[in-house]
Amino acid sequence: RLSAAAPTMWKGPVLARLIQQRAPIGHVLRHAARALSAKEGGNGHSSKEDGNGNSNGSESKLDDAQQKLGLNPRPGGLPEWIELWSVRQFHRAGIFLGGLSAASVPLALGGHIAEATPFLLGALTAGYWSLGLRDIATKSHTLRRNFPVLIHFRYLLEGIRPEIQQYLIEPEDVAAPYSRVMRNTIYQRAKMKVGTDTHSLGTRRDVYKPGYEWASHSMFPAELCSTQDSRVLIGGPECKQKYSASLLNVSAMSYGALSGNAISALNLGAKRGSFYHNTGEGGISQYHLLGADVVWNIGTGYFACGKTAQDGKRVFDPDLFVSNATRPEIKMIEVKLSQGAKPSHGGILPAAKITQIIADARGLGPPPWTDCNSPPRHSAFSTPAGLMRFIARLRELSGGKPVGMKLC
């Protein structure tokens, strides 16, 4: 952009000297911007005065030149001293700090300042030089070499960005994925605090905002449906053990993705509410068997119904499947077709993360364990017709329980 905007300026003696001396790029670009603005000013452009009689023509030309060279003269941009920071500026600031530290010694001895001031300034100066010299000597970070010490303020701001976003910027009602108001409600309910759902004086939400959703009141509300009407019977003529499922249930989430306490809470809640609990593809853990109806999710790894072949692939094991599918807690079986969370390559649970509870849930056998692979596709079938035959086989082996499929 610099050469395209002002190709003849590189022949200028001042600019050439700056380049030969390897001056900071900020100095070079700003000198080029001034040269370009002066060149355009000599092509018939005249300065204009504002309403107060101040001439702003040269300033506007300089801004235009900076814009052409890729600099950003807009309000709110980086301060000029940051753009001009360099190793030379680092040395000057370090010498100033050293002189300030030395000057504080007689002042402290004379009682004009606190006695600890020279030590504090000396420690600050030593830390400044130590950090800056390491930045200059590094060969792996260009920003650290070009902006010694100063670059660490950027790293600090990047590190606390989530906290700044949460505590200072984030609105109360932005749901990503849950709003702050909803999170506070969940926290208060978890602490069993009374009255957390009762807030007076209306709502804080903009109910007139486009896209706002609400449930309209009915002048003639219907009667509550019976428990029988709120359930649906699952299973065709070939199912010997049909299941009456609730309309609302606990979706699939494996043990490991959730803790044992979380799985236990979901299972016990499903038991009290008379709805089913989906295991997820991580197998059937002990926390899934606390009394609720269970839907067994079978993924590509065939956990709790498979074994690892000699070539390392996970294959279906009908005997292990029968031992788990005939459990009284298992009401239905779900075949997950692909590894949706990690498409095309599947997922791997490292052997170091496998515990005895995980091994029992997935049917991995006794230790030592190897990496547990969830491939991207099934090994028991590869076509839609093969899938239908596999589903029919699972229904037969389970004693006629409903078997369905999940895309991913």
Side-chain angles (χ1 to χ4, degrees), residues 250-267 277-288 294-304 334 336 338-342 349 357-358 361-362 372 374 406 408:
V250 179
S251 184
M253 186 63 72
S254 304
Y255 168 69
L258 294 180
S259 67
N261 289 337
I263 296 293
S264 300
L266 292 174
N267 194 266
H277 182 193
N278 194 309
T279 64
E281 65 171 316
I284 307 172
S285 71
Q286 64 188 44
Y287 306 108
H288 290 104
V294 174
V295 172
W296 182 12
N297 185 308
I298 298 178
T300 57
Y302 301 112
F303 298 133
E334 178 182 76
K336 181 179 178 181
S338 64
Q339 178 58 248
K342 305 174 184 67
L349 177 64
I357 298 178
I358 292 178
R362 301 194 175 198
C372 187
S374 296
K406 179 182 179 182
C408 63

Side-chain angles (χ1 to χ4, degrees), residues 296 298-309 313-325 333 335 375 377-381 389-398 403:
W296 182 12
I298 298 178
T300 57
Y302 301 112
F303 298 133
C305 65
K307 57 186 178 181
T308 303
K313 293 183 179 180
R314 293 287 298 178
V315 296
F316 179 71
D317 185 353
D319 296 332
L320 183 58
F321 172 81
V322 170
S323 64
N324 285 313
I333 299 167
V335 178
R377 59 182 298 276
H378 280 267
S379 61
F381 57 88
R389 290 191 292 268
F390 184 67
I391 290 177
R393 184 184 181 190
L394 296 184
R395 182 174 61 238
E396 179 181 357
L397 293 174
S398 64
V403 181

Side-chain angles (χ1 to χ4, degrees), residues 115-324:
E115 296 181 356
T117 302
F119 297 98
L120 296 177
L121 290 176
L124 176 63
T125 303
Y128 175 86
W129 278 102
S130 176
L131 179 61
L133 292 177
R134 287 201 305 268
D135 291 341
I136 296 173
T138 185
K139 297 182 180 179
S140 58
H141 295 84
T142 304
L143 289 177
R144 289 181 60 186
R145 289 201 310 270
N146 293 336
F147 300 91
V149 178
L150 187 64
I151 189 61
H152 292 278
F153 289 96
R154 170 183 171 176
Y155 296 154
L156 173 63
L157 293 176
E158 288 179 346
I160 63 176
R161 181 183 181 276
E163 287 75 14
I164 295 176
Q165 177 73 22
Q166 178 179 357
Y167 298 124
L168 302 179
I169 301 176
E170 180 185 8
E172 293 287 332
D173 57 347
V174 173
Y178 297 102
S179 66
R180 187 176 182 85
V181 174
M182 180 60 69
R183 293 201 302 269
N184 289 336
T185 301
I186 295 173
Y187 297 153
Q188 298 301 322
R189 288 180 180 178
K191 296 175 182 178
M192 303 298 291
K193 291 190 176 182
V194 180
T196 57
D197 296 336
T198 304
H199 299 280
S200 60
L201 302 179
T203 179
R204 299 179 182 178
R205 300 180 182 179
D206 184 4
V207 297
Y208 299 103
K209 182 179 180 180
Y212 180 81
E213 298 179 354
W214 72 95
S216 297
H217 292 280
S218 175
M219 297 182 63
F220 307 99
E223 294 183 3
L224 292 177
C225 61
S226 63
T227 305
Q228 188 65 27
D229 295 335
S230 63
R231 307 184 71 88
V232 58
L233 186 64
I234 300 177
E238 298 183 5
C239 289
K240 300 178 181 179
Q241 303 183 48
K242 299 180 182 181
Y243 178 68
S244 177
S246 173
L247 298 180
L248 297 177
N249 304 278
V250 179
S251 184
M253 186 63 72
S254 304
Y255 168 69
L258 294 180
S259 67
N261 289 337
I263 296 293
S264 300
L266 292 174
N267 194 266
L268 294 174
K271 179 181 178 181
R272 293 181 60 182
S274 299
F275 46 85
Y276 70 70
H277 182 193
N278 194 309
T279 64
E281 65 171 316
I284 307 172
S285 71
Q286 64 188 44
Y287 306 108
H288 290 104
L289 304 175
L290 300 180
D293 295 342
V294 174
V295 172
W296 182 12
N297 185 308
I298 298 178
T300 57
Y302 301 112
F303 298 133
C305 65
K307 57 186 178 181
T308 303
Q310 294 181 353
D311 56 0
K313 293 183 179 180
R314 293 287 298 178
V315 296
F316 179 71
D317 185 353
D319 296 332
L320 183 58
F321 172 81
V322 170
S323 64
N324 285 313

Side-chain angles (χ1 to χ4, degrees), residues 22-104:
R22 295 186 178 181
I25 189 63
H27 291 288
V28 178
L29 290 177
R30 293 189 181 281
H31 180 82
R34 294 189 180 94
L36 179 59
S37 63
K39 178 181 178 182
E40 292 180 348
N43 292 336
H45 299 284
S46 59
S47 299
K48 297 182 181 180
E49 294 185 355
D50 56 18
N52 298 325
N54 298 323
S55 175
N56 60 0
S58 59
E59 294 180 1
S60 62
K61 293 172 186 174
L62 179 59
D63 289 346
D64 294 339
Q66 288 178 335
Q67 191 67 44
K68 289 182 179 180
L69 294 176
L71 301 179
N72 183 14
R74 296 176 301 172
L78 291 176
E80 183 175 357
W81 66 272
I82 293 181
E83 297 181 0
L84 299 181
W85 186 263
S86 63
V87 176
R88 180 179 298 179
Q89 299 295 336
F90 159 76
H91 288 152
R92 291 176 179 176
I95 294 174
F96 173 77
L97 286 176
L100 189 63
S101 302
S104 65

